[in-house]
Amino acid sequence: MHLDVYTLFIFELYILILLTGVMLFAWIGGRRDPTLGLMALMLAFATAGTQLSSMRSDVNDIIPVLFSNLLILLCYGIMWSAVRVFTGRRIILPGVLAGPLIWAFFCLSPDFYHSLSQRILLTSILTAAYTLMTTVELWHVRRQLNVTFWPALPLSLFHAGFYLMRPVFDDGLPYAEMAGRHSSGFFAILIFEAILYAICLTFIILAMVYERGQLSYKLASLRDPLTGVGNRRAFLEFGNELIRKRKNCTLPLQLMLFDLDNFKKLNDQYGHAGGDSALIFFCSIVNSLLEKKDVFARIGGEEFACLTSQPKEQAIKMAETIRFRLAQSSQHNIPMTVSVGIAFSDLNQDTISHLLIQADHALYRAKSAGKNRIELS
């Protein structure tokens, strides 16, 4: 099957214009996510660079040789920066400009400038280098990314490998063939691969940004905005999940229910700012004692719950440590204490609702018995 180079070139140009528009509108409508903004800029430069590459003539070829490749290399630097921004890292401007500057420097040499094979070799190496740097950025933070990023890895590796093989297969005849609208083996494949890479990369980045946005909304819906700990919805969701995972384990779970004593007095005397600081301070004490798998959340105004897989004796000890540390401190010169009710899971009745009811009964007894104490279900 023969692929017409001129037709593929026009198709590539229109595809790049379309993808630039898609990414630009996604950036405008997506809370101006910097990753999308950089990708829109990258595609715009790619469109300009592709257009300039067609402006070849026998009289002057400085525009397609120097400026076209300079813009395309700048695209790869921006793409690398977009992935760095997505992964939470800063843009390294010298790294972005290094490829284009290296290209411009080599073009100052007449021997290099008039050698098509040398130009193909350098552009291929720089393109592969930027693509591999982009791949490394994703791989470096793979454990921290909570989005589906793996399709970008084989795509980038294939693209880098393709350009590393280009100097071997590129016969250096594409420009004459473009002018004559003839078929070309490798150069036609080069354009076709560039089209597929641009399309796949655009939609992979869009999917990653969208998935991260959805995840951030979900996390926000499960977090108490004041204290930063989970809310009641998060406690029920993650608590039931922890119970399901422990169903076949003989070691039961413990649920601790905390209620800050005399909290209304602190609020009345020092306002909501005083009450807020007390809640934040209490959460800092509890967070310093939690284990990784423990579930802790604010389930009411001054009421908190903690589901832990620690043994019964250690759970009681942790609750006593929290009670003691809080009693030894104060907020705005008002002593702070907490009452605690602890419920122990029954393997035959493993539900959060059941544990909350049992812990609430124990908490009520702690309040009735004088506060600042721990009662067991």
XYZ file of all heavy atoms in Angstrom, residues 8-47:
316
model
N -0.825 13.103 3.281
C -0.585 12.897 4.711
C -0.154 14.182 5.394
O -0.542 14.460 6.531
C 0.490 11.822 4.902
C 0.053 10.372 4.742
C 1.259 9.446 4.808
C -0.957 9.985 5.812
N 0.644 14.981 4.701
C 1.107 16.238 5.277
C -0.064 17.179 5.550
O -0.168 17.786 6.619
C 2.125 16.887 4.343
C 2.604 18.229 4.827
C 3.587 18.327 5.803
C 2.056 19.399 4.306
C 4.007 19.563 6.252
C 2.483 20.632 4.751
C 3.463 20.722 5.729
N -0.958 17.330 4.575
C -2.137 18.186 4.755
C -3.014 17.645 5.877
O -3.534 18.395 6.724
C -2.941 18.285 3.440
C -2.100 18.964 2.350
C -4.235 19.044 3.665
C -1.678 20.375 2.669
N -3.170 16.327 5.911
C -3.969 15.700 6.963
C -3.349 15.967 8.338
O -4.063 16.273 9.299
C -4.067 14.202 6.692
C -4.927 13.458 7.668
C -6.281 13.712 7.771
C -4.370 12.498 8.511
C -7.068 13.036 8.684
C -5.148 11.819 9.426
C -6.501 12.085 9.509
N -2.019 15.847 8.428
C -1.335 16.111 9.704
C -1.564 17.545 10.155
O -1.823 17.809 11.337
C 0.161 15.839 9.563
C 0.943 16.135 10.839
C 2.438 16.021 10.645
O 2.903 16.098 9.494
O 3.161 15.880 11.655
N -1.493 18.467 9.232
C -1.668 19.876 9.575
C -3.066 20.133 10.120
O -3.235 20.821 11.144
C -1.414 20.733 8.330
C -1.239 22.237 8.551
C -0.063 22.512 9.476
C -1.058 22.946 7.219
N -4.072 19.591 9.482
C -5.452 19.790 9.956
C -5.683 19.083 11.293
O -6.405 19.616 12.157
C -6.452 19.296 8.900
C -6.728 20.318 7.819
C -6.138 20.205 6.580
C -7.567 21.400 8.053
C -6.375 21.152 5.579
C -7.812 22.344 7.070
C -7.204 22.221 5.840
O -7.441 23.155 4.860
N -5.093 17.923 11.459
C -5.228 17.218 12.738
C -4.617 18.040 13.867
O -5.197 18.176 14.961
C -4.560 15.831 12.667
C -5.416 14.875 11.832
C -4.350 15.245 14.066
C -6.753 14.526 12.463
N -3.446 18.631 13.634
C -2.791 19.451 14.659
C -3.613 20.690 14.990
O -3.714 21.087 16.166
C -1.391 19.844 14.193
C -0.346 18.728 14.183
C 0.952 19.217 13.556
C -0.086 18.214 15.595
N -4.200 21.306 13.971
C -5.064 22.468 14.223
C -6.272 22.054 15.068
O -6.652 22.744 16.027
C -5.519 23.096 12.887
C -4.327 23.697 12.148
C -6.586 24.159 13.128
C -4.647 24.183 10.742
N -6.869 20.924 14.728
C -8.029 20.425 15.475
C -7.661 20.112 16.921
O -8.370 20.496 17.860
C -8.588 19.183 14.786
C -9.766 18.479 15.484
C -10.963 19.397 15.561
C -10.117 17.183 14.772
N -6.532 19.416 17.126
C -6.115 19.058 18.480
C -5.759 20.292 19.299
O -6.009 20.335 20.508
C -4.923 18.106 18.422
C -5.181 16.725 17.824
C -3.894 15.916 17.788
C -6.251 15.982 18.628
N -5.179 21.303 18.653
C -4.888 22.558 19.351
C -6.174 23.188 19.862
O -6.250 23.648 21.012
C -4.164 23.543 18.416
O -2.960 22.947 17.932
C -3.818 24.833 19.155
N -7.201 23.212 19.013
C -8.487 23.761 19.429
C -9.116 22.974 20.551
O -9.650 23.551 21.515
N -9.060 21.647 20.453
C -9.627 20.792 21.511
C -8.934 21.050 22.847
O -9.586 21.220 23.882
C -9.499 19.301 21.117
C -9.829 18.401 22.307
C -10.416 18.979 19.953
N -7.594 21.088 22.824
C -6.854 21.296 24.064
C -7.061 22.712 24.605
O -7.140 22.910 25.825
C -5.367 21.034 23.821
C -4.544 20.897 25.088
S -5.014 19.471 26.098
C -4.306 18.115 25.157
N -7.179 23.688 23.724
C -7.398 25.067 24.154
C -8.752 25.209 24.833
O -8.866 25.829 25.903
C -7.297 26.017 22.953
C -7.409 27.508 23.266
C -6.278 27.954 24.177
C -7.408 28.327 21.974
N -9.788 24.634 24.253
C -11.117 24.703 24.857
C -11.161 23.906 26.165
O -11.857 24.300 27.110
C -12.176 24.196 23.884
C -12.547 25.186 22.818
C -12.283 24.923 21.485
C -13.142 26.385 23.151
C -12.616 25.846 20.502
C -13.482 27.318 22.173
C -13.213 27.043 20.839
N -10.438 22.794 26.216
C -10.373 22.029 27.464
C -9.686 22.845 28.555
O -10.080 22.793 29.721
C -9.617 20.711 27.238
N -8.660 23.592 28.180
C -7.957 24.443 29.153
C -8.854 25.572 29.641
O -8.929 25.835 30.847
C -6.699 25.022 28.508
C -5.983 26.005 29.383
C -5.366 25.762 30.576
C -5.821 27.407 29.127
N -4.818 26.917 31.076
C -5.079 27.954 30.210
C -6.203 28.253 28.099
C -4.736 29.300 30.279
C -5.857 29.596 28.159
C -5.137 30.100 29.239
N -9.568 26.218 28.726
C -10.443 27.328 29.106
C -11.579 26.840 29.996
O -11.947 27.495 30.982
C -11.004 28.024 27.847
C -9.866 28.706 27.077
C -12.080 29.033 28.213
C -10.287 29.290 25.744
N -12.140 25.677 29.668
C -13.279 25.166 30.436
C -12.902 24.278 31.590
O -13.776 23.758 32.281
N -11.615 24.074 31.838
C -11.183 23.168 32.895
C -10.438 23.848 34.024
O -9.419 23.359 34.484
N -10.938 25.030 34.412
C -10.326 25.782 35.510
C -8.867 26.144 35.226
O -8.040 26.213 36.122
C -10.424 25.009 36.836
C -11.857 24.806 37.318
C -11.886 24.253 38.717
N -13.252 24.176 39.226
C -13.584 23.810 40.457
N -12.613 23.474 41.308
N -14.820 23.770 40.850
N -8.570 26.330 33.948
C -7.235 26.767 33.517
C -6.129 25.872 34.074
O -5.136 26.362 34.622
C -6.997 28.224 33.901
C -8.049 29.189 33.366
C -8.071 29.210 31.849
N -9.155 30.017 31.317
C -9.032 31.309 30.967
N -7.874 31.909 31.104
N -10.054 31.956 30.461
N -6.317 24.575 33.961
C -5.287 23.641 34.406
C -4.006 23.902 33.621
O -4.014 23.889 32.387
C -5.758 22.194 34.179
C -4.817 21.175 34.793
O -3.681 21.066 34.306
O -5.215 20.498 35.747
N -2.874 24.154 34.295
C -1.640 24.494 33.571
C -1.155 23.397 32.636
O -0.519 23.688 31.621
C -0.628 24.761 34.700
C -1.197 24.088 35.908
C -2.679 24.165 35.750
N -1.442 22.138 32.972
C -1.040 21.045 32.087
C -1.726 21.167 30.735
O -1.087 21.032 29.686
C -1.376 19.690 32.721
O -0.713 19.570 33.976
C -0.941 18.548 31.816
N -3.026 21.457 30.754
C -3.762 21.613 29.500
C -3.297 22.856 28.748
O -3.210 22.850 27.515
C -5.263 21.693 29.782
C -5.902 20.463 30.432
C -7.393 20.692 30.640
C -5.671 19.224 29.585
N -2.989 23.927 29.477
C -2.503 25.135 28.836
C -1.179 24.912 28.126
O -0.981 25.364 26.991
N -0.274 24.203 28.769
C 1.020 23.907 28.149
C 0.865 22.981 26.943
O 1.557 23.142 25.931
C 1.964 23.284 29.182
C 2.511 24.243 30.243
C 3.223 23.472 31.350
C 3.469 25.251 29.601
N -0.040 22.013 27.054
C -0.269 21.114 25.919
C -0.881 21.861 24.743
O -0.548 21.583 23.580
C -1.174 19.955 26.346
C -0.511 18.954 27.269
S 0.907 18.116 26.511
C 0.121 17.243 25.161
N -1.785 22.820 25.011
C -2.342 23.633 23.929
C -1.248 24.455 23.262
O -1.201 24.579 22.022
C -3.440 24.539 24.483
N -0.342 25.015 24.065
C 0.780 25.777 23.513
C 1.691 24.873 22.690
O 2.160 25.261 21.611
C 1.564 26.423 24.657
C 2.754 27.300 24.265
C 2.282 28.509 23.464
C 3.518 27.751 25.511
N 1.943 23.674 23.193
C 2.792 22.731 22.472
C 2.192 22.384 21.111
O 2.891 22.383 20.088
C 2.963 21.456 23.313
C 3.913 20.431 22.697
S 3.102 19.240 21.601
C 2.258 18.198 22.782
N 0.899 22.115 21.066
C 0.254 21.760 19.803
C 0.215 22.945 18.844
O 0.317 22.762 17.620
C -1.162 21.249 20.080
C -1.240 19.861 20.741
C -2.643 19.595 21.275
C -0.822 18.777 19.767
N 0.077 24.155 19.383
C 0.096 25.339 18.524
C 1.465 25.509 17.870
O 1.571 25.801 16.668
C -0.266 26.583 19.343
N 2.530 25.319 18.655
C 3.878 25.390 18.085
C 4.107 24.257 17.077
O 4.796 24.445 16.061
C 4.925 25.320 19.191
C 5.183 26.641 19.852
C 5.149 26.757 21.236
C 5.464 27.767 19.115
C 5.392 27.976 21.851
C 5.712 28.991 19.714
C 5.665 29.104 21.094
N 3.558 23.085 17.362
C 3.701 21.965 16.432
C 3.014 22.279 15.105
O 3.534 21.944 14.026
C 3.111 20.702 17.046
N 1.855 22.924 15.174
C 1.158 23.319 13.948
C 1.986 24.309 13.146
O 2.146 24.176 11.921
C -0.208 23.950 14.300
O -0.974 23.027 15.093
C -0.976 24.293 13.047
